[in-house]
Amino acid sequence: MTELPESMRNLYKEAIELIEQNDDIKIYTHIDCDGLCSGAILSQVLDRLGKEHEIEWVNLDELSDLKINHDLTIFSDLGSGQPVDKNAKEGQNIIILDHHPPLRDLDYETDCNYIEINPLHHGIDGSFYVCGGGLCYFLARELGYKDLSWIGVLSAIGDIQNGRSGKLEGLNSTILKDAEDQGYIDTTPNDINIYGRKTRPLFVALSYFSDVKIPITGNQNTSKRVLRELNIDMDGRRTLSELSQEEKGKLFKYMLKEISKRVPQKYVKHVPKLLIGDAFEFLCEEEGTFLRDASEFSTAMNACGRNEKYPVAHKILKGDRGEALDCLEQISKEHRMRLAKNIAKVGDSIIELENLQYFDGKDMAPNIVGTVTGMILGNGNWKKPIIGFGQTDEDHLKVSLRCSKLLSYDGIHFGHIIREVSREFGGDGGGHSMACGAYIPIDKKDEFLEEFNNRLEGVIEN
């Protein structure tokens, strides 16, 4: 368990004082799982403090000219990389709780009363050790609200904070321990890392494995045959969570062998990390539902974000398991159908360059381009990152990048690269080593691709 640095704790105390002193409060938060969790934690904190407040879910490109109209404005899971204070007036107050690379340093001064809590200011990596929801949870924790820890864990899973080691590390481990101690979460250490471990029949879940293309990828019949050959019983459409340790051992050995045969030698040592990671189960959720498993719960939250159904996610995170849950199930179903339709549109239109591959989303909604990009990773060349383009308006493109975890294990951080390249062409971006994005002017697309491809020369092993 990692303790919160004293320098951060002091900032939280200042932030709590600001909250207690103000009654005209607005929260701006991001639209992905981490942002939705961040906003829900803050909203519950303000509810418990008796503070009326507004909440608005926004994307990063909406922040550059945002008007500050409230006495206290709180930004969660965004704000550090945007000039959110430029329209603030003297006497107004701003709190930022964000884990993305900051524009301003810790000693930044502005006309308004300004507090920024960012782990990078305190020597803590915001990609793996704490995310936006985690930072908001530590605010709640300072007030004694440890029962909100489960949302902090959900935000970390949704933000792929466990992407490097398969475990929650750093400050995330403190949040996890709080959630376990409160009886909200059960952790299964070193489980096979396949999505749908509680709800998908195993042969279906295996067919979606796409980090490296192996015989089971995209082929349910082959998955069934492999399971029969391994003497793993499929009776009753068993899920991964229902397998014995012996059966999981057989499946792990098969996948380890098949992947190791297909990757360059330097990646072989990373293959076990590709397959093994801790699994997290929410004990207060009904067994057999998609909210029981942290990965599936986070996917449902992202479905709300991608379809602009933010209030539904907000209600779910604040405890509504009635009408909001019915809405969430319908949103998730429609989201899957929408993704399938758009994946079919991409088809074989992936264009491969020397060091990367890409496709044009054309009339695809920009808010789902990233999800589609990740899902078609197995259709292309796993050794190269894949970029999807979606048009946001007449003048701008949204750029979404996904890659095999093996590339990030090899030390490539695409979030840093995409930020640098997009800024060269009048855009901006960032994100994680294996999942990131940017916004760029539409007329800079070809130059962006050329420069990105050049940046990866000698970095990507084809």
Side-chain angles (χ1 to χ4, degrees):
M1 191 171 86
T2 302
E3 291 298 324
L4 194 69
E6 193 64 28
S7 56
M8 287 182 74
R9 178 163 279 121
N10 290 334
L11 287 174
Y12 277 115
K13 289 175 182 176
E14 292 179 29
I16 289 169
E17 286 181 14
L18 263 191
I19 291 170
E20 290 174 338
Q21 293 166 5
N22 286 274
D23 294 308
D24 178 27
I25 302 174
K26 176 73 174 277
I27 300 168
Y28 288 101
T29 195
H30 200 203
I31 65 170
D32 61 6
C33 177
D34 187 18
L36 293 166
C37 289
S38 300
I41 292 172
L42 290 176
S43 182
Q44 291 191 78
V45 167
L46 294 176
D47 285 345
R48 294 177 187 187
L49 294 175
K51 300 287 184 179
E52 290 189 9
H53 58 281
E54 298 176 27
I55 184 166
E56 186 173 338
W57 299 271
V58 295
N59 219 328
L60 299 180
D61 60 340
E62 300 175 63
L63 292 179
S64 58
D65 294 307
L66 190 73
K67 304 298 181 187
I68 303 296
N69 297 317
H70 296 74
D71 292 342
L72 173 59
T73 305
I74 307 176
F75 295 91
S76 56
D77 193 37
L78 40 69
S80 281
Q82 297 79 36
V84 294
D85 66 306
K86 73 177 185 180
N87 293 321
K89 304 176 184 66
E90 188 175 351
Q92 291 181 316
N93 306 285
I94 289 177
I95 298 172
I96 296 176
L97 297 153
D98 192 8
H99 64 124
H100 297 100
L103 288 174
R104 301 159 289 268
D105 59 30
L106 193 56
D107 300 321
Y108 177 75
E109 293 184 3
T110 185
D111 291 339
C112 64
N113 195 5
Y114 177 91
I115 298 173
E116 181 170 2
I117 304 177
N118 189 306
L120 290 159
H121 284 148
H122 307 270
I124 299 171
D125 189 336
S127 295
F128 301 108
Y129 297 141
V130 68
C131 61
L135 293 170
C136 293
Y137 169 67
F138 278 107
L139 178 74
R141 193 177 195 259
E142 288 295 305
L143 290 161
Y145 303 144
K146 289 189 177 181
D147 59 303
L148 300 179
S149 53
W150 73 271
I151 309 180
V153 173
L154 178 62
S155 68
I157 299 304
D159 200 61
I160 328 175
Q161 293 273 308
N162 58 338
R164 180 168 61 183
S165 66
K167 299 180 180 296
L168 291 179
E169 306 173 280
L171 291 174
N172 287 321
S173 68
T174 301
I175 304 170
L176 176 61
K177 187 174 188 307
D178 284 353
E180 290 173 332
D181 290 347
Q182 295 280 315
Y184 289 109
I185 286 184
D186 180 57
T187 303
T188 302
N190 301 319
D191 202 4
I192 296 181
N193 188 18
I194 295 175
Y195 183 81
R197 61 186 295 275
K198 300 287 289 185
T199 59
R200 282 179 173 173
L202 181 57
F203 70 90
V204 175
L206 288 174
S207 71
Y208 280 95
F209 181 83
S210 62
D211 270 286
V212 175
K213 192 169 185 178
I214 58 177
I216 59 173
T217 301
N219 195 321
Q220 293 184 14
N221 289 329
T222 301
S223 295
K224 289 179 181 178
R225 177 178 57 77
V226 167
L227 291 172
R228 284 194 298 269
E229 291 172 354
L230 295 174
N231 291 318
I232 295 176
D233 184 15
M234 291 179 288
D235 184 49
R237 297 166 65 86
R238 294 171 76 205
T239 65
L240 175 65
S241 64
E242 295 170 321
L243 264 57
S244 67
Q245 285 304 116
E246 180 184 358
E247 289 172 319
K248 287 181 180 179
K250 292 178 184 177
L251 183 57
F252 170 75
K253 288 178 181 176
Y254 162 78
M255 297 186 74
L256 181 68
K257 181 183 72 172
E258 292 298 325
I259 295 170
S260 297
K261 286 193 303 189
R262 290 168 170 80
V263 302
Q265 186 60 37
K266 73 171 185 172
Y267 292 133
V268 171
K269 64 183 178 183
H270 298 304
V271 174
K273 287 191 292 184
L274 195 66
L275 295 173
I276 297 296
D278 292 352
F280 307 98
E281 197 169 334
F282 293 117
L283 299 177
C284 294
E285 303 298 339
E286 186 178 342
E287 182 70 66
T289 66
F290 62 91
L291 299 187
R292 184 82 176 189
D293 178 75
S295 291
E296 294 187 61
F297 198 146
S298 69
T299 298
M301 294 298 94
N302 277 320
C304 289
R306 302 310 176 202
N307 292 278
E308 300 182 5
K309 304 293 184 182
Y310 319 120
V312 174
H314 193 63
K315 289 176 183 177
I316 291 289
L317 291 167
K318 292 183 76 171
D320 187 339
R321 293 297 182 274
E323 184 180 349
L325 182 56
D326 292 337
C327 290
L328 180 60
E329 290 174 345
Q330 185 62 29
I331 291 166
S332 297
K333 180 180 177 181
E334 291 175 358
H335 185 61
R336 288 192 296 271
M337 293 172 61
R338 189 179 176 206
L339 290 174
K341 189 180 296 184
N342 281 283
I343 288 169
K345 282 183 182 178
V346 175
D348 58 0
S349 65
I350 299 172
I351 299 169
E352 191 167 347
L353 304 179
E354 292 87 347
N355 301 305
L356 60 84
Q357 53 197 328
Y358 72 94
F359 69 91
D360 286 309
K362 296 177 183 175
D363 57 348
M364 191 183 299
N367 56 4
I368 65 166
V369 169
T371 307
V372 170
T373 303
M375 293 181 74
I376 66 171
L377 183 62
N379 296 349
N381 182 349
W382 72 267
K383 297 177 185 177
K384 300 178 182 180
I386 184 168
I387 287 175
F389 290 100
Q391 191 166 341
T392 59
D393 55 39
E394 290 183 2
D395 301 316
H396 294 89
L397 290 174
K398 180 179 181 181
V399 186
S400 295
L401 180 147
R402 300 293 184 269
C403 74
S404 169
K405 292 177 185 175
L406 287 176
L407 299 184
S408 66
Y409 294 154
D410 198 41
I412 307 172
H413 198 298
F414 287 104
H416 295 163
I417 299 171
I418 205 168
R419 180 183 302 112
E420 293 169 4
V421 177
S422 61
R423 286 179 176 175
E424 285 186 27
F425 299 104
D428 202 1
H432 300 281
S433 54
M434 66 190 78
C436 56
Y439 293 91
I440 62 170
I442 195 167
D443 60 353
K444 298 295 183 181
K445 176 189 164 189
D446 291 341
E447 293 174 76
F448 171 87
L449 280 170
E450 181 180 5
E451 177 60 22
F452 208 112
N453 186 58
N454 291 339
R455 285 285 186 99
L456 298 182
E457 188 65 39
V459 176
I460 298 293
E461 183 171 325
N462 295 317

